[in-house]
Amino acid sequence: MRRKIITRRDFFKAGVALTVTMGFPFELKAERKKTRAVLIRDPDVIDRRGRLNARIIQQMLDKAITALFDKEDPMIESGVWRLLFKPSDTVGIKSNVWGPLPTPREVEDVLKSRIMDAGVPEGNIGIDDRGVLKNRIFLTSTALVNVRPLRTHHWAGVGGCIKNYIMFTPWPPFYHPDSCADLGAIWKLPIVKDKTRLNILLLLTPLFHGIGPHHFDTTYTWQYKGILIGTDPVSVDAVGLRILELKRLSYFGKEIPLKPPAKHIFVADVKYKLGTSNLREIELLKLGWMEDALI
Amino acid sequence: MLKEGVTEILKIITFFLTMLFIPLIPWTEETSKLLPRKIHGYKPHGKVETYNRQTIYEYMDGAGEIYLAYGFKELLVQRYQKVGEPEIIVEIFDMVSGKDAFGVFTHVQGRDDKEAGIGQNSEYRGGLLTFWKGRFFVSILTKAETVKAKRAVLEIGRTISKGIGIDGEKSGLLNYIREEDFFPKEIRYFHTHAILNYHYYLSGENILNLDEDTDAVLARYKDDGGYLLLVEYKKEEDARKALNNFINAYMPEITEKGIVQTEDGRWTVATAKQNFVIIVLDAITQIQASSKLEAIKGKLK
C-alpha cells in the first residue's frame, strides 16, 4: 500500500485553514489528563527605562513554580525549588543568546541562585546556549532548566521552549527541513531525554512579527511583562503561540498568519508525544497582573 | 539600429568582464576591504568574523538554513560601535553567483514597499538594511534605530555597494514572466523544497523533486492572488518525472486538461514543456488558470 503524502489539500479537507497554526490534519487523542502551565505577570518587572527588576523576577518565578506544583506556601523560601533539584544534581540552564532578544542575565542569575538555594553546588550549575555540546556541565547533567524569550522565528514560525534545544544537536540542519517540523525529535536525544525539570518561556518583551532571517524589529515587540512556565514544553509553547496570535490580531486588526506556521509544536505532540498542544487540554493558571493579558 | 548594436556589444563585453572578474575576487581579505573604516563616528569593533557552510550555525541558528538553501559560500561579519549609539552589525554573504544573491534577497524581501536605493535591490526598515549586488547579499542591522544609527547604516550600505562595483545577473527564469502581472515583493527565486514551502506550503514532502540543481520562481498574481510556480530542471526527462510525481501526490483526479478544483474552490493546473514544469495555483476560475498557463507556455521557446 502506498504511503499517504500530506499536501496542502489535506489541510483543506480537514477543514482547517493552513495558515492557522492551531490546526493540523491529524486527530489529537481526546480524554487526556490536562497538563498545567502557569502564566504570571507583574507591571513593575520592567521599569520606565526598560531595565528588568531581578527581585520581582525572583518573586514571579517562586510564585509560578509554587502554583505549578500545587504547593500552598510560597513563603518558604526556596522550598519549592528543593522539589525540583537535589544537591547531588548537575544542572544545565539552557539559555538563549540571540542578539536582539536574549535570555536576560537577570533571569539567568535568579535561576542559578535558586538552584543553589536548593543545595546544588555552584560548580555543578552551568549556563550556556551555543556551547552546550562542549560544556562539561551539560554533557554530564542530571537536570536541565530550559529558559528563553518567546519570539516569532523566521524558519520555525516561533522560537519557544521546544526549539531552544536545537543546540543539543551536532548538526542543526538535520532538524530544519520543512520549517523545523521535527524539532520534537531532539528531545529524545540522550543528552536531554527526561532531564528537563522546568520550561520557562519569557514573555517580558516578546517579538510578535518579523520578516527575514534577522527578523527583529522593535516595532513588533511589546512589554507584556509575563513569564510562562510548565513541565511540558509543548503546552508552554502552545500557550505562548496563542498569545502571539492574539497580539497579532489585536495589532494588525485582522488575522495575519504566521509565516511559516509553527507546526513543530503540533508535530511534537502528535508525532513525538512530547506533550500537549491542544489548548483545551491545557490547564492555564493565571497569576498576578492581568490587564491586557490577551488570553 | 546602430545604437542597439552598440548596446548589445557593450552587454556582451560587460558579461565577459563579469565572468572574468568575479571568480578572481579572493574571499575575506578582498571582501573585508569593502568595509568602511569610519562612518559618521562609527568604527569597527573587534575582529572580522568569518563563517562557512559548516560553521554558519555557530553564528545563526535556523536562519542559516536559508543561505544553505542557496549557493552560500562564506559570511563575513563586522561590528561597528560609537559611544552613546547602538551597535551596528554588518554581514556580507558570498553567494557565489548573482542569481543566488538575488534569490536570497527575494526570499527576505517584503518588509517594506519602498526601495532604499542601495545595491541592485534593497529594503530598509526598523534599523535593518538588506540589499544584493554582484554575488553578494548584504545585511546591516542596528540594534536600536536612532537617527544617527540609521544614517550610519545607510552610509555603510552605500560604501559597500560602491566597493562591490560590478552588478550580478538575475535568474534567466524571470525572462519568462511579465513582472508587471505579479506583486513585485512576492516574486521569489529559489532552488529547494524548503524555500518553496516557506512561501507556499505545498506538501511536507518534496513532490516536485526540487534540489540545488533546479531553478524555480514562485510569483503571486496581482489580479486574483493566485500563484505561478515555474521550475527549470536539468533535463526534459527530469521535468516529466517531477510533473508525474506532483500530479500523483497533489492532483490525482486531474482532468484531461490537466486541471483540478481544490477544496478551497480554487483551480490548479500543471503541465511540462521541454525541461520546465509550469503550475498555476489557486486561480479563481478554470479559464483564468488555463489562460495563465498557456501564456507562460507560449514564452518558453
Side-chain angles (χ1 to χ4, degrees):
Chain A
M1 196 171 134
R2 284 180 59 183
R3 188 167 55 89
K4 166 72 178 159
I5 294 173
I6 301 293
T7 72
R8 182 183 193 88
R9 295 183 63 188
D10 292 295
F11 286 84
F12 296 134
K13 287 174 195 163
V16 293
L18 175 78
T19 47
V20 175
T21 48
M22 299 311 292
F24 201 75
F26 298 105
E27 282 192 18
L28 291 166
K29 285 181 184 170
E31 302 301 321
R32 286 193 302 200
K33 190 185 168 198
K34 281 201 170 188
T35 180
R36 178 177 285 182
V38 179
L39 171 66
I40 187 163
R41 296 174 70 222
D42 191 308
D44 299 319
V45 70
I46 303 172
D47 71 13
R48 286 181 184 173
R49 294 174 65 185
R51 293 174 305 194
L52 290 180
N53 184 319
R55 184 180 56 81
I56 294 178
I57 285 171
Q58 179 163 315
Q59 288 169 358
M60 291 168 78
L61 284 171
D62 284 349
K63 284 180 188 170
I65 293 169
T66 303
L68 182 68
F69 293 103
D70 258 340
K71 299 298 164 188
E72 290 179 356
D73 191 357
M75 294 301 109
I76 304 170
E77 266 194 31
S78 76
V80 73
W81 294 86
R82 290 180 191 277
L83 293 173
L84 287 168
F85 304 101
K86 301 188 299 285
S88 58
D89 272 329
T90 300
V91 186
I93 299 171
K94 174 60 178 68
S95 190
N96 195 289
V97 297
W98 190 59
L101 199 58
T103 304
R105 180 69 183 269
E106 292 86 345
V107 175
E108 293 174 346
D109 289 347
V110 165
L111 285 170
K112 184 174 178 181
S113 159
R114 278 316 203 195
I115 294 165
M116 287 170 67
D117 288 345
V120 180
E122 184 175 10
N124 288 352
I125 304 169
I127 303 173
D128 209 333
D129 177 11
R130 294 184 179 172
V132 288
L133 289 182
K134 295 173 188 163
N135 187 317
R136 177 188 61 83
I137 297 285
F138 283 83
L139 294 172
T140 59
S141 69
T142 55
L144 294 170
V145 175
N146 183 17
V147 55
R148 66 161 297 161
L150 173 66
R151 68 175 178 99
T152 51
H153 189 280
H154 180 62
W155 198 248
V158 297
C161 286
I162 300 170
K163 182 158 184 0
N164 203 35
Y165 276 9
I166 188 76
M167 285 300 156
F168 284 110
T169 67
W171 184 232
F174 186 73
Y175 296 92
H176 280 151
D178 196 15
S179 308
C180 300
D182 289 315
L183 286 172
I186 294 165
W187 287 66
K188 307 292 179 188
L189 297 175
I191 192 170
V192 295
K193 191 171 187 287
D194 299 330
K195 288 185 184 175
T196 305
R197 307 278 169 87
L198 202 55
N199 293 284
I200 304 171
L201 195 55
L202 301 169
L203 286 82
L204 299 165
T205 58
L207 175 71
F208 63 91
H209 181 65
I211 295 173
H214 278 290
H215 208 76
F216 188 74
D217 187 336
T218 48
T219 314
Y220 302 122
T221 59
W222 89 111
Q223 292 196 350
Y224 187 74
K225 300 177 179 177
I227 297 176
L228 185 58
I229 69 163
T231 54
D232 167 6
V234 184
S235 63
V236 169
D237 277 4
V239 174
L241 169 62
R242 186 65 187 144
I243 291 170
L244 286 190
E245 287 176 338
L246 292 167
K247 177 62 183 176
R248 291 161 68 88
L249 188 61
S250 144
Y251 183 88
F252 294 114
K254 60 180 179 179
E255 196 172 85
I256 305 274
L258 276 170
K259 189 176 172 184
K263 55 181 178 288
H264 67 274
I265 298 173
F266 311 98
V267 176
D269 178 344
V270 300
K271 185 173 175 184
Y272 296 104
K273 315 293 179 199
L274 186 62
T276 303
S277 63
N278 188 337
L279 292 177
R280 287 189 294 274
E281 296 176 357
I282 299 168
E283 178 193 11
L284 179 64
L285 300 183
K286 293 185 277 187
L287 307 176
W289 177 61
M290 282 298 135
E291 191 181 321
D292 297 325
L294 299 171
I295 198 161
Chain B
M1 190 72 126
L2 182 64
K3 194 179 170 187
E4 280 176 11
V6 170
T7 307
E8 282 307 306
I9 290 166
L10 281 175
K11 274 185 184 173
I12 291 165
I13 291 170
T14 306
F15 173 77
F16 280 108
L17 280 175
T18 304
M19 291 295 102
L20 196 67
F21 267 94
I22 282 181
L24 290 180
I25 298 174
W27 176 248
T28 306
E29 196 183 328
E30 281 303 313
T31 309
S32 62
K33 286 180 185 168
L34 297 171
L35 294 163
R37 289 191 180 166
K38 189 177 177 183
I39 292 267
H40 298 313
Y42 272 92
K43 291 178 186 171
H45 175 74
K47 287 182 180 173
V48 172
E49 300 164 33
T50 57
Y51 302 90
N52 59 31
R53 290 184 73 86
Q54 279 69 46
T55 59
I56 190 167
Y57 285 96
E58 292 169 16
Y59 179 68
M60 53 171 72
D61 166 43
E65 194 72 40
I66 294 151
Y67 304 100
L68 293 175
Y70 293 88
F72 165 71
K73 182 182 171 193
E74 280 186 298
L75 161 65
L76 175 151
V77 182
Q78 176 68 68
R79 293 162 204 278
Y80 285 80
Q81 287 188 348
K82 178 183 178 179
V83 177
E85 290 296 326
E87 186 182 56
I88 291 174
I89 303 170
V90 176
E91 299 168 344
I92 305 179
F93 295 84
D94 183 352
M95 302 306 301
V96 179
S97 68
K99 281 199 310 186
D100 280 8
F102 166 70
V104 169
F105 181 81
T106 67
H107 173 73
V108 305
Q109 71 179 347
R111 291 179 299 122
D112 204 342
D113 290 338
K114 282 175 269 176
E115 166 69 40
I118 296 171
Q120 291 180 252
N121 297 103
S122 59
E123 277 188 350
Y124 177 85
R125 188 190 152 91
L128 173 64
L129 169 70
T130 52
F131 70 90
W132 78 281
K133 184 162 185 178
R135 69 179 201 260
F136 299 103
F137 172 76
V138 181
S139 162
I140 306 173
L141 173 73
T142 174
K143 288 187 173 177
E145 189 188 28
T146 64
V147 173
K148 288 178 181 171
K150 178 180 176 180
R151 199 164 58 124
V153 163
L154 295 173
E155 196 53 38
I156 291 170
R158 286 187 201 103
T159 306
I160 292 171
S161 173
K162 193 176 170 189
I164 293 169
I166 302 160
D167 278 356
E169 290 278 327
K170 290 183 185 179
S171 164
L173 273 183
L174 295 174
N175 297 330
Y176 301 119
I177 68 170
R178 273 168 32 106
E179 291 194 35
E180 57 269 34
D181 290 345
F182 302 92
F183 291 109
K185 296 284 183 182
E186 296 195 56
I187 298 174
R188 323 280 182 182
Y189 168 73
F190 57 96
H191 305 288
T192 67
H193 158 68
I195 300 290
L196 169 64
N197 265 5
Y198 183 91
H199 295 289
Y200 185 95
Y201 179 83
L202 196 61
S203 170
E205 300 197 23
N206 184 7
I207 58 178
L208 277 165
N209 301 338
L210 299 176
D211 61 26
E212 60 274 15
D213 289 330
T214 49
D215 282 353
V217 166
L218 176 75
R220 190 164 180 225
Y221 285 102
K222 282 180 185 169
D223 61 352
D224 65 355
Y227 289 84
L228 167 71
L229 176 58
L230 176 62
V231 187
E232 182 176 12
Y233 294 84
K234 284 282 176 204
K235 293 182 286 188
E236 199 169 326
E237 186 190 350
D238 296 341
R240 266 204 322 275
K241 278 184 188 168
L243 179 70
N244 287 338
N245 209 29
F246 173 75
I247 287 171
N248 289 335
Y250 197 78
M251 43 196 301
E253 73 275 47
I254 195 166
T255 64
E256 281 179 15
K257 291 178 183 172
I259 193 162
V260 294
Q261 187 170 28
T262 50
E263 290 70 14
D264 56 348
R266 293 197 167 224
W267 294 86
T268 291
V269 61
T271 193
K273 183 175 177 183
Q274 301 157 12
N275 59 326
F276 295 89
V277 167
I278 315 160
I279 305 172
V280 175
L281 298 145
D282 300 345
I284 285 183
T285 67
Q286 188 171 359
I287 293 170
Q288 271 184 325
S290 298
S291 65
K292 283 173 174 169
L293 185 92
E294 289 305 320
I296 299 297
K297 214 171 157 183
K299 284 179 178 278
L300 299 173
K301 298 281 167 65

